[in-house]
Structures are given as structure tokens and as C-alpha cells.
Amino acid sequence: MVLLRCRSSSTWSMSRRLFHYFRSLSSSALPIRQTPQNDLFSCNARIQELGNLGRVEEARHLFDEMIQRDSITWNSMITWYFRNGRIDEARELFDAFAGKNVRTWTAMVSGYAKNGKLEEARGMFDLMPERNVVSWNAMISGYAQNGDLYSARILFNEMPERNVESWNTIITGYGHCGWMKEARELFEQMRHRNLVSWMLMISGYVHIDDHTEAWNMFLKMHHGGVRPDQSIFVVILAAITGLDNSKLIETLQTLAIKTNFEGDVVVGTAIMNAYTRNGRLDSAMKFFESMRERNEFSWTTMITSLSQSGRLKDAIAVYKRVPEQNVASQTAMMSAFAQHGRIHEARRIFEEIPNPNEITWNAMVAGYAQNGMLDEASKIFHRMPVRNSASWAAMISGFAQKGWSEEALNLLSELHRSGMVPSHSSFTSALFACGNIGSLEMGRQVHTLTVKTGCQFNSYVGNGLISMYAKCRNMEDVSQTFNTMRVKDTVSWNSLISALSQNNMLGDACSVFEKMPKRDVVSWTAMISGYAQAGHGDLAFELFLDMLASGINPNQSTLTGLLSICASLGATKLGKQIHGLIFKLGLDFDLFISNALISMYFKCGCEDGFWVFEEMPDHDVVSWNAILDGCAHNGFGEEAVKLFEQMKAEGILPNQISFVSVLNACSHAGLVDEGWAYFNSMNRDYGIMPLEGHYACMVDLLGRAGHLYEAEAFIEKMPIEPDSVVWGALLGACRIHQNAELAHRVADRLFQLEPQNSGNYILLSNIYASQGMWEQVGEIRKLMRDQGVTKEPGISWIQIKNKLHSFLTGDKTHDQTEGIYSTLKEFYRRLKATGYVPDTSFVLHDVEEEQKENVLLHHSEKLAIAYGLLNTPNGTSIQIMKNLRICGDCHTFTKFMTRVTQREIVIRDGKRFHHFRDGSCSCGDYW
């Protein structure tokens, strides 16, 4: 073939003849520009290069300028259009190309299939004038990739001839769909296998979490004399990670040495990665140090693993040792900083990279989005020179996770209008957004778009549809989506269980759980969460024990969920047992679990939360918020202020939750000036607009300090409409300072906002009762009857030997009632002798004084204290939980009890913790 050379200043007629000659060779029906290029080979290579870079417009520009084109030119351009989702332009080129060959037809079949257009792919396949085995494999692969294994198998059976790739293609489809029984049957029928065949089987078993069978398949391959290659080592190490067997990692190390893979950097990095995923970070570090050669993935894996385990300082140390900083290591360190809330340091690294790639840009977008800084994420997103599907997915996910659901859906629409096909991740985030706002109509529109783009059969999208319909309370569509899914993986079953649990269909969730072909840790965790959400904490823990007995270890979500149950129950001992298990599993440095431990201890009124925080190698903004909130609810106001200042000094930017916690702490400690300073700094220094919660904290702060009318004026000047929480804070302050006049005005507002909230009626009634305004008390009670509002009973409970004992005021149903009442009567006499005087203003009925004292004596928290004294050893602390605010008399009574009994008593009421010691309370009588 004559190659095209640059046109010189030779005669125009010769140039003209060459032009017509080469035009006839190209068989082009499109207009051709007469700007010359060097030669055909170079032009084709450049089109390939531009296509790989995603620069399709430039590739097409070069295509149009070429005087000569061959089938490679046309086929390449068609392929790159398909790979970028530009299906119509690919078809336009195909129709224009008169010299189509079998490769051109196959490119069309493959392109349609990969874009989810199976009908068009099959139509093209059926029209092919001739087919080869590659064409058949392309169509089978298309069916398999889109989950239509039935059609794939029929076509496979019809093939006139098959090669190893044909068998591997159908096995790949079965493996992706988790149909390993069918894959195994085909594998056993194969006369000839290659390393890819073995890898597909091993990776298929890993995909369905059958790590034992993956290991057995590897042993069969090894014993059959097949030498593993690099990719086999990598995939079998993934299986070993699932088996949680560190000895097998060491076995693979030995085999790698025997097969001369000892120094292979990819295999070495996979071994190191296996150690990190098995929780043996120190072993991973030791292996890392012993590696003779390290590539950028080795360094980035170590940086990422240390960061994800909460060891940011160690990750920084490794980063500083990278011999030559490159984009990969810098991106890993950026992500680590962002994950720990140190977004400014992530941005500093980003700005130092001269030519960031798409992954780096995306990491910066995701980093801002993960930290809730969506304005900054959006600015980076719009600055990107080239956006890919991951860029859009990061922004859509960021909006959805922040709760900006409409913005997420608008961005999906913009992506769709741009001509790009949304990724599966973008669809799942959009469905999550629809579920967040309960928009069934919008969810169905997104569902329709997934069908149009051929993504509806993707398991991730299907699972997202199940979750969306569940949040929209449409269980009919949940069932229909699940039943029509071509591939039901374990995640699909788990999504269905979660959907049923969320809709209070726990019995149905249990039935699905029992029917599951295979359960993983997520399955068990979903059921445990379902029981917890239904208030069955005891059943949740029973199921957890069954899970351990079945040989499945809990993951991060399981443990954080159990710690949350312990926190809600105030079950400190149970929480400490879970903490012990965390140590045994080597998860004590896990950032999320450590954060959950801080919350659990403080919500149980236990100061061990400070110790957990101090032991953590690194803290993110959630860690700081957890300890700040713990301080706020346990009366450690000054400690909260010190920690908040320390947080700022360490470069962690406070967010809205941080300010709620520190303002709450200031409120409970009477730190008015400090509270004002923090409130004013929110917008001025951090650009955070105060929300209802922040205003409620300020009202509470002013009200508790006695500045009731200043608090009322503050509410009237709020730039946003005050909600019931804001007015409720002021009503609570009126109760503290006995201001009936203001309480009446505030309560009228609350009755309009929350006509069925009994707490507001009771609070106003209490204020009237404490001042002997019995006529007004009667009016409130009549109003409650007319409105159909019933009073929530005060309940106190105590946990002893992992069993909860609950008490109502005046309760006589407990089997130790006689002992409880006699104990209270005895201590009542002793306390009076030491100066205790019952405060009968807290009795809300107009009865005789002696009767009032008798009512006070049998308040639920006093009954629980007496039971604790009877059933716990002398000197041990007693912990009581109460659903309502502790009354003033019980507060005084408990202070005297700690002095007489020399015991610590901790009471968590509906507002906060009270730590009573030696006749005083941590709240300083300021609650």
C-alpha cells in the first residue's frame, strides 16, 4: 500500500490525482478537509492515543483531516465513540463506511452491548454478512455483562465453534452474577483451560464471598501443576483476606518465593495489602519495610491503610519517605487528610501538583464533598479541565450525602443533557436523594432513565431502587424490583431485609433472612439493626451471639450499631464487653469505631470517653464532635471550651454540629460570654449560618442564666422562623426561674406548633403548680382532655447483671417492692436528720403536705435508686436512666444519698447526665 506523505510544492495536477486515488481507497461518504498529515500509520496511532485520553473531539478532528483512511481508522473512531457513550455518532460513521469488514460489525455489536443497548447489538449481530468466533464472543459477552445469562447461554450453545475465550466469556458472566454452580459445571467441561480460566473461577468464588472454595480451587490448580502468575497471586490473596487467616498469607509468601515472585512488586504489594485487610497493620508495615522494590501502588497502599485505620501520623511519616513524590502518592495523602477533616492540608498538596490528573481532581472534589464543603467542591468541579463519570458521581454523591437532594437530582439532569451516560454510582446516589426527600415520582423518573440507558439490571442500581422505594414507603415496588432483578446477589437480599425493617415489617424481614441462600456480615447486621430500631435491644444482642456462633466476625457497622444500642440503654457493662471484643478483633484503632466508643461511654455517663479519645492516634471532626457533645451532656462545660480551642489549634475546622455541642456545653455550665462569642464567630469566622439548633442553644443559654426577656427578644429578632425547639428552650427556662407570665405566652406559641406534645402542657402546668396556681393547673388539664393529649409517664430504669428493671412513680409491681419501699422509708428518715427537706412544690396536685411528701418519696428515680442499693455491693456506683427531666426534689434527695451511702450515683434524665458524688452534682445545680 502506498503511504501518504506531506504534500510538497509539486504540481497541482499530481496532488489532485493522489487526492482522488486516496479518497477512493478510504470509501468515505463524508466531507474531507484537504489539510495533509504525515502518514496513515502515525495518524491511526494518534487517534488511538487521543481516544485513550478521552479526547474524542480531537480524534474526530484528525479523522476528518486525513486524506487516506483504512479500516483501522474507521474501526478505531467507531470504537472510541462507543466508549464515550456517543452511540449516534458511532452509528453515523458505521453507515458512512462502505468498506465494512467483520471487525467493523463486531465493533458495533460490542459497542451497543457495552452501552446497554442489547436489542440493537443483537439486531446488528443478526445482520452480519459473516461472523467469526470473535463476533460470537462479543455478543455473548454483551448478554453476560448486562445480566442476561439465559440468552448468553443459548447463543453459546449455538456457536459453530468455540475457543478458550468463548468458554471464559460465559464463565465470566456467571461469575459476575454469582452463579458459581453453573460456572463450575462449564469449567469442568472445558477440554483446554488457560490461566484466565482458573483466575475467573477463583475470582468468581471471591465475588460471592465463598473464600473457602476459592482457596480449594487454587489448591486444585496448584496440585495440577499449573504455575500461578501475577494476577492469580493477587486474586487468591483477596480470598485469603476473606478467610481471615494470616497463616495462609505466610503460605502464599513462601509459594511466591518458590515460584520466583518473591521480588515481584505487584505480588508483594498484594501480600502487604492482605495483611492490612486482616487487621495486621504492624505485619504489613514489617513486610513493607522488607520489600526490595516498591512501586507507587505500594506506597499509596501503605499510606491509605494507615489513614483508614486512624493512624494519620504514621501515614504522614510514610508519605514523607516516598523517594520521589508523584501524583499517585500525593493523591493518596490528599485523600487521607480529607478523610480526617484536614481539608486545608489536602488542598495545599493539591495546589503543589503541577499537572493533576483526573483521579487527583476527583479526589479533591470528593474530599470537599465528604467534609460537607459543597460550595468548595463545586468550584473545583467547575475548574476541572476534563470531567469524567467519576467527577460527576463525586458531586452527585456529595450533594446527596449532605442532604441537598434537589441539587443532586438537578446535577444528574445536567449530566444526562450533556450527552454522557450516568454511571451506576450516579444513579445510586440520585436514588438515595429521591429516598431522602421521599419523592416517589422523581424516583420513578430516575428508574425510567436507568431503563433507557440499560442500567436497570446492574445489581448496584437495583439495590438502590429497592432502598429508594422502601424510603418512599412503596413496598409493592420494592417487591417488584427485587423479583424482576436478573441477578440477586447478597447485597440485594440485604437491601430487601433493610427495606422491610425500615417499614416495620420485621416478621417479613426475618422470613427473608431465613430464606437467604448465603448470609454475610451485612445480612446479620441488617437484622440486628432492624431489632434495634424496633426497640428490641435484647433480641439484637441474641442475634449477635448467633452470628458469632456461625463463625462470622462483626464488621465496623455491626460494632457501631451494637455500641449505639448500649448507649440508648445506658448499658455501660455491655458496652465495655463490646469494647473488649473490639480489642480482640484488632479494631481498636478504627476511627469510626473509636468515635462510636466515645459516644457510647458519654451517653452511658461514663468518663472513659476521655480515655478513648486520648488513646486515638488521630481524630477527625466526628471525634471532636463526639467528645464535645459528651462534655455538654455530662456537665463538663469548661472542658468542652478547652477542647474546642484545642480542636481549632490542631487545624480541624468546626462544623455546624461542633457549634451545637459547644453552645450546649456553655448553656449547661452558665458560660454566657463564651457562648455569645462562639455564636458570633460562626458566620464571621467560618461562614456557617446558624440553624434552629444553634438559636435554641442560645435561648437555652440566656434563659438558664435568668435573662428571660433578653432570650425572648433574641427569638423575635431571629432571621429564620423559630421552631418548637427554640420556644421549648425558653419555656424550660421559665420553669427554672418560675416566670408564669412569660411561660403562658410561650406555651401559647407551642400549643399552636405542637398541639399534641404533652410535654409543653405538663411544663406549663408544673410552673402553675409550683406557685399554687391550682385553678390554672385545672385549666391546663381540661385543655389536654379536650385536645386528646395524654401525659407521658415518668419511667426510670436500672441495669443489673445485664437485665433491665424499670419503675413508674408509685410502682408496686416489682417483686422486691416491699424491700424497696422500706429502704426508701429508712433513708428518708436518715436524710431528714442530716438536713434534707422535701421540696413539695414539685407535687403537681393540690393535696395535704404529708400526702405531697409521700408522693415525692415514690418518684420513679428514687425507687430505682433503692433497688440499686439493695442489689449491688457496697461502694459500687449506681446508674439510673430516666425518660423525663429529673425534678428538683429528686435532685436534692440524690445529693444527700451520695453523702450518706458514700456511693456515686449517675442519673441520665431526658436532658443530660447528673454525676452525684459526696453531696454535690456535676451540673452545679444548674440544669
Side-chain angles (χ1 to χ4, degrees):
M1 177 181 287
V2 179
L3 296 180
L4 177 64
R5 300 292 179 189
C6 290
R7 195 183 318 184
S8 64
S9 57
S10 59
T11 62
W12 172 249
S13 59
M14 177 62 74
S15 185
R16 239 353 232 181
R17 289 170 59 193
L18 287 171
F19 172 78
H20 287 292
Y21 174 68
F22 289 127
R23 183 174 184 180
S24 66
L25 284 179
S26 69
S27 303
S28 174
L30 296 178
I32 299 174
R33 299 181 184 177
Q34 297 182 20
T35 305
Q37 299 294 331
N38 281 341
D39 60 55
L40 183 60
F41 178 81
S42 298
C43 292
N44 284 345
R46 181 61 177 160
I47 286 176
Q48 285 291 112
E49 181 184 0
L50 291 169
N52 279 318
L53 294 171
R55 293 154 62 177
V56 186
E57 292 295 341
E58 293 177 58
R60 178 57 189 265
H61 182 73
L62 175 58
F63 177 89
D64 288 341
E65 288 187 335
M66 291 174 66
I67 296 175
Q68 180 187 4
R69 309 181 189 109
D70 61 7
S71 60
I72 295 174
T73 319
W74 288 85
N75 293 342
S76 296
M77 199 64 235
I78 289 169
T79 299
W80 290 123
Y81 270 137
F82 270 125
R83 289 189 185 178
N84 284 272
R86 297 166 68 164
I87 300 170
D88 293 339
E89 288 154 296
R91 181 59 189 256
E92 180 186 350
L93 276 189
F94 174 80
D95 291 339
F97 183 28
K100 305 176 184 71
N101 57 23
V102 68
R103 290 188 178 183
T104 316
W105 287 89
T106 303
M108 291 297 293
V109 171
S110 180
Y112 275 130
K114 287 178 179 178
N115 281 276
K117 304 288 186 180
L118 281 181
E119 291 184 10
E120 291 86 344
R122 184 55 190 260
M124 191 64 65
F125 179 80
D126 291 338
L127 290 172
M128 289 183 73
E130 61 173 320
R131 306 183 188 115
N132 57 19
V133 69
V134 178
S135 314
W136 286 84
N137 290 344
M139 193 62 238
I140 291 170
S141 179
Y143 278 130
Q145 288 169 359
N146 287 276
D148 190 353
L149 294 176
Y150 178 76
S151 298
R153 184 58 185 268
I154 291 175
L155 205 61
F156 175 80
N157 293 337
E158 293 174 355
M159 286 186 76
E161 61 172 321
R162 305 185 187 108
N163 57 14
V164 174
E165 186 181 345
S166 311
W167 292 84
N168 288 345
T169 298
I170 192 73
I171 289 173
T172 300
Y174 282 135
H176 284 168
C177 295
W179 295 13
M180 289 310 295
K181 180 182 177 182
E182 291 79 1
R184 186 62 174 266
E185 288 175 358
L186 275 183
F187 179 81
E188 297 297 344
Q189 295 174 27
M190 292 179 71
R191 294 181 181 179
H192 303 288
R193 303 175 185 135
N194 57 16
L195 274 173
V196 175
S197 313
W198 290 99
M199 190 186 73
L200 288 172
M201 291 304 298
I202 295 169
S203 60
Y205 283 121
V206 171
H207 177 65
I208 64 169
D209 296 329
D210 193 345
H211 302 109
T212 301
E213 197 56 45
W215 177 249
N216 291 337
M217 182 62 70
F218 175 77
L219 291 178
K220 182 177 180 180
M221 181 196 82
H222 181 57
H223 293 152
V226 180
R227 185 177 181 271
D229 66 356
Q230 188 187 76
S231 59
I232 294 286
F233 270 112
V234 172
V235 75
I236 195 58
L237 281 162
I240 290 173
T241 301
L243 289 172
D244 196 19
N245 189 331
S246 299
K247 290 183 179 179
L248 290 182
I249 303 176
E250 295 166 5
T251 301
L252 258 293
Q253 269 187 255
T254 304
L255 182 59
I257 295 170
K258 290 181 179 178
T259 52
N260 296 322
F261 278 97
E262 178 185 10
D264 187 286
V265 66
V266 175
V267 174
T269 303
I271 291 171
M272 180 188 72
N273 200 29
Y275 277 125
T276 64
R277 291 181 180 276
N278 274 69
R280 292 182 58 182
L281 202 52
D282 292 333
S283 297
M285 280 290 290
K286 184 178 179 181
F287 182 82
F288 175 75
E289 297 298 344
S290 70
M291 292 174 68
R292 291 180 297 183
E293 181 188 354
R294 305 185 187 108
N295 61 10
E296 64 179 38
F297 187 63
S298 314
W299 290 99
T300 56
T301 297
M302 205 66 249
I303 292 167
T304 302
S305 299
L306 288 165
S307 170
Q308 290 177 345
S309 298
R311 296 169 61 174
L312 182 61
K313 291 178 182 176
D314 292 332
I316 295 170
V318 171
Y319 174 71
K320 289 179 178 178
R321 289 173 50 202
V322 177
E324 185 177 346
Q325 293 293 354
N326 54 36
V327 176
S329 58
Q330 289 170 307
T331 303
M333 198 65 239
M334 276 171 48
S335 299
F337 277 130
Q339 181 190 9
H340 288 261
R342 295 164 66 168
I343 193 67
H344 290 294
E345 290 166 274
R347 180 60 181 265
R348 177 180 53 77
I349 295 177
F350 176 75
E351 297 294 349
E352 291 172 356
I353 302 173
N355 295 302
N357 58 25
E358 288 179 1
I359 297 173
T360 309
W361 282 96
N362 291 342
M364 199 66 242
V365 171
Y368 275 126
Q370 289 162 5
N371 283 273
M373 303 170 70
L374 293 181
D375 288 338
E376 291 81 356
S378 186
K379 289 176 184 176
I380 293 288
F381 177 76
H382 287 102
R383 271 183 55 197
M384 293 180 69
V386 178
R387 298 182 200 129
N388 59 16
S389 58
S391 317
W392 291 88
M395 278 306 302
I396 294 171
S397 174
F399 282 132
Q401 295 299 326
K402 183 75 179 287
W404 295 11
S405 300
E406 292 181 2
E407 289 83 351
L409 295 169
N410 289 337
L411 201 59
L412 179 73
S413 298
E414 185 181 339
L415 168 61
H416 181 53
R417 288 194 301 270
S418 73
M420 290 180 65
V421 177
S423 67
H424 297 145
S425 175
S426 296
F427 277 127
T428 53
S429 295
L431 291 167
F432 178 77
C434 293
N436 277 349
I437 57 177
S439 178
L440 181 60
E441 181 182 353
M442 186 64 72
R444 283 181 169 153
Q445 289 179 21
V446 176
H447 191 171
T448 301
L449 185 57
T450 67
V451 174
K452 289 180 178 178
T453 55
C455 296
Q456 79 275 23
F457 296 119
N458 176 268
S459 59
Y460 293 103
V461 175
N463 298 335
L465 285 166
I466 291 174
S467 298
M468 180 274 293
Y469 283 127
K471 288 180 180 178
C472 293
R473 306 289 180 186
N474 191 318
M475 294 308 294
E476 183 178 343
D477 281 335
V478 167
S479 299
Q480 185 176 359
T481 301
F482 180 80
N483 292 332
T484 56
M485 289 178 72
R486 292 176 178 174
V487 181
K488 296 183 180 74
D489 56 13
T490 306
V491 179
S492 311
W493 288 89
N494 293 342
S495 298
L496 182 60
I497 289 173
S498 297
L500 293 165
S501 299
Q502 290 167 7
N503 285 273
N504 302 316
M505 301 171 69
L506 200 55
D508 293 321
C510 290
S511 299
V512 171
F513 181 75
E514 294 297 331
K515 293 176 185 176
M516 286 186 72
K518 181 176 177 61
R519 301 175 193 142
D520 61 6
V521 63
V522 180
S523 318
W524 290 91
T525 302
M527 280 306 304
I528 290 169
S529 299
Y531 280 123
Q533 290 167 6
H536 303 309
D538 52 342
L539 294 178
F541 271 97
E542 284 181 19
L543 195 64
F544 174 62
L545 295 176
D546 290 342
M547 170 184 162
L548 294 178
S550 70
I552 294 180
N553 283 330
N555 64 8
Q556 184 189 82
S557 298
T558 321
L559 293 166
T560 52
L562 292 170
L563 289 170
S564 178
I565 296 172
C566 294
S568 63
L569 295 175
T572 313
K573 291 181 180 178
L574 203 52
K576 287 185 175 180
Q577 290 176 352
I578 298 298
H579 195 170
L581 177 61
I582 289 166
F583 270 113
K584 288 181 181 179
L585 294 172
L587 296 172
D588 47 308
F589 283 120
D590 182 275
L591 184 64
F592 298 99
I593 290 176
S594 295
N595 292 342
L597 281 167
I598 294 171
S599 295
M600 183 275 293
Y601 277 123
F602 278 124
K603 287 180 179 179
C604 289
C606 180
E607 295 179 33
D608 284 355
F610 285 114
W611 172 78
V612 174
F613 183 83
E614 290 166 2
E615 289 295 309
M616 291 172 67
D618 290 292
H619 310 105
D620 62 2
V621 69
V622 178
S623 317
W624 289 98
N625 288 347
I627 196 165
L628 287 171
D629 186 65
C631 288
H633 287 92
N634 283 272
F636 307 126
E638 292 183 0
E639 289 86 345
V641 170
K642 290 177 183 176
L643 284 164
F644 190 79
E645 293 302 321
Q646 183 184 342
M647 172 186 177
K648 293 193 297 180
E650 292 190 13
I652 305 296
L653 284 177
N655 59 19
Q656 291 176 337
I657 297 172
S658 314
F659 278 105
V660 166
S661 297
V662 75
L663 289 173
N664 202 5
C666 290
S667 172
H668 283 202
L671 304 174
V672 178
D673 292 340
E674 291 86 344
W676 267 120
Y678 287 132
F679 181 80
N680 291 330
S681 75
M682 287 180 63
N683 187 31
R684 182 189 66 220
D685 300 333
Y686 300 97
I688 299 174
M689 295 301 295
L691 302 176
E692 287 90 343
H694 304 102
Y695 286 105
C697 286
M698 285 304 297
V699 171
D700 194 53
L701 172 68
L702 294 169
R704 285 178 186 277
H707 308 311
L708 296 178
Y709 293 104
E710 185 180 347
E712 184 182 26
F714 178 83
I715 295 175
E716 297 295 345
K717 293 177 182 177
M718 281 173 56
I720 57 176
E721 189 68 26
D723 62 4
S724 59
V725 179
V726 175
W727 288 111
L730 184 54
L731 184 61
C734 292
R735 170 69 177 89
I736 295 170
H737 297 285
Q738 301 295 301
N739 190 321
E741 179 189 357
L742 179 57
H744 178 77
R745 291 204 306 271
V746 174
D748 281 345
R749 299 262 195 158
L750 284 166
F751 294 160
Q752 295 172 18
L753 292 170
E754 298 178 318
Q756 295 301 309
N757 185 343
S758 64
N760 299 324
Y761 297 91
I762 298 302
L763 198 53
L764 181 60
S765 176
N766 291 352
I767 295 171
Y768 288 146
S770 65
Q771 298 184 36
M773 302 169 66
W774 300 112
E775 183 179 346
Q776 287 83 351
V777 170
E779 290 174 0
I780 295 296
R781 289 176 180 165
K782 181 177 183 302
L783 180 61
M784 290 178 68
R785 286 193 299 272
D786 294 343
Q787 295 283 353
V789 179
T790 56
K791 178 182 181 296
E792 180 184 3
I795 304 173
S796 297
W797 61 95
I798 181 172
Q799 182 188 23
I800 296 178
K801 295 180 180 179
N802 293 331
K803 185 176 180 181
L804 286 176
H805 301 265
S806 59
F807 300 89
L808 294 167
T809 296
D811 198 341
K812 293 185 178 181
T813 61
H814 199 278
D815 55 7
Q816 292 190 37
T817 294
E818 187 176 340
I820 291 169
Y821 274 67
S822 62
T823 298
L824 273 180
K825 190 173 182 180
E826 171 62 22
F827 274 106
Y828 194 50
R829 182 185 61 76
R830 290 173 59 185
L831 295 185
K832 277 189 169 183
T834 61
Y836 164 65
V837 178
D839 188 349
T840 56
S841 68
F842 288 95
V843 177
L844 309 178
H845 297 276
D846 187 14
V847 294
E848 295 297 326
E849 197 69 17
E850 183 178 346
Q851 237 179 313
K852 290 183 179 181
E853 287 191 18
N854 192 51
V855 171
L856 283 177
L857 179 60
H858 301 138
H859 274 191
S860 64
E861 50 265 63
K862 292 189 178 87
L863 298 175
I865 290 171
Y867 181 78
L869 291 170
L870 287 171
N871 292 278
T872 57
N874 289 331
T876 59
S877 64
I878 295 173
Q879 188 168 26
I880 310 295
M881 314 294 283
K882 180 176 170 62
N883 64 328
L884 303 178
R885 183 181 185 273
I886 185 173
C887 82
D889 179 70
C890 287
H891 194 269
T892 303
F893 176 88
T894 308
K895 287 196 296 183
F896 274 92
M897 284 292 287
T898 58
R899 185 181 298 160
V900 170
T901 63
Q902 291 299 296
R903 295 226 207 177
E904 178 188 10
I905 300 175
V906 179
I907 297 180
R908 186 185 82 181
D909 67 8
K911 294 289 184 181
R912 59 177 297 170
F913 275 98
H914 299 264
H915 298 259
F916 297 93
R917 297 187 187 94
D918 300 323
S920 63
C921 179
S922 60
C923 73
D925 299 337
Y926 191 85
W927 86 103

